[in-house]
Amino acid sequence: GSNSVLKSMNRKYTRDEFVNKVNLIRQFFPDAGITTDIIVGFPTETEKDFLDTLEVVKLSQFSDLHAFTYSPRKGTVAYKMKDLDGNVKKQRLIRLLEEKEKCKLAFVEQSLSKTLTFLPEEYKDGYTEGYSENYIRCYVKGKVKKELTKVKVISKFNQGALCQINRGE
């Protein structure tokens, strides 16, 4: 989310280009589940750079994201750079994961009462769990056959949404 860090990482795009691509997807597919991977604590990352990343997360309204702290890799330019303090990286990761949870909740909330296609994966603790076509973790009470199934989103639940089979579709 920071142009200076993206440049240090030898990425060939800018923050604005990235956000514009996300907005373009949303323009044509408003219910798209968009996820990303984010590395926090790159050696050149300042607090301002990190805040820029948090802002991109908020602007992009990701349905989920995977976050990692930077770790040196031999053979990369960054390997020779001075690593950030481990506590700084850890605190930034915690802050990013808090923002991730807000984004996931907002994405589920905008899906309330919508009908989604659900792919059941496993039965556990009285619920069939799987994912919708837009990457919402769905929980349906009882056992559901492992086939694409239409479900209606009822509420936020565990790490996703409580759904019920939509028999009307």
Side-chain angles (χ1 to χ4, degrees):
S2 159
N3 285 330
S4 64
V5 173
L6 288 168
K7 186 174 183 177
S8 294
M9 295 175 84
N10 202 26
R11 297 298 198 265
K12 304 297 184 200
Y13 56 89
T14 67
R15 149 202 177 102
D16 288 341
E17 289 171 330
F18 181 85
V19 171
N20 288 338
K21 298 282 189 215
V22 170
N23 289 337
L24 184 63
I25 293 168
R26 293 247 184 264
Q27 181 181 343
F28 291 97
F29 305 99
D31 294 329
I34 302 173
T35 67
T36 193
D37 292 350
I38 298 177
I39 298 170
V40 297
F42 191 76
T44 63
E45 183 184 77
T46 65
E47 179 65 15
K48 183 193 178 310
D49 293 326
F50 176 70
L51 292 175
D52 286 348
T53 298
L54 285 180
E55 183 180 0
V56 166
V57 169
K58 292 174 188 175
L59 287 171
S60 299
Q61 302 171 340
F62 294 114
S63 57
D64 202 350
L65 63 88
H66 303 283
F68 314 89
T69 56
Y70 168 81
S71 57
R73 297 283 187 259
K74 278 188 178 182
T76 65
V77 174
Y79 186 75
K80 297 175 184 175
M81 296 178 181
K82 184 179 182 311
D83 201 7
L84 291 183
D85 178 84
N87 287 328
V88 170
K89 293 193 293 188
K90 181 179 176 182
Q91 288 305 312
R92 288 180 183 168
L93 180 63
I94 289 168
R95 289 162 58 197
L96 179 60
L97 292 175
E98 287 170 355
E99 194 58 42
K100 163 192 169 161
E101 289 307 314
K102 290 177 191 174
C103 288
K104 281 180 72 170
L105 174 59
F107 190 69
V108 169
E109 286 177 348
Q110 80 179 30
S111 298
L112 291 176
S113 299
K114 291 185 178 176
T115 298
L116 305 174
T117 302
F118 162 66
L119 180 60
E121 293 179 344
E122 64 179 324
Y123 177 75
K124 188 167 84 177
D125 300 326
Y127 293 90
T128 301
E129 301 176 22
Y131 283 93
S132 67
E133 76 269 24
N134 60 348
Y135 201 62
I136 293 176
R137 185 76 177 163
C138 295
Y139 300 83
V140 177
K141 194 162 181 67
K143 288 187 179 180
V144 178
K145 282 200 297 189
K146 289 190 177 185
E147 60 186 25
L148 292 177
T149 304
K150 295 288 186 182
V151 295
K152 184 175 183 179
V153 179
I154 303 302
S155 66
K156 183 185 178 311
F157 185 76
N158 285 350
Q159 297 298 310
L162 180 63
C163 301
Q164 66 185 26
I165 293 177
N166 191 338
R167 305 215 187 270
E169 296 205 18

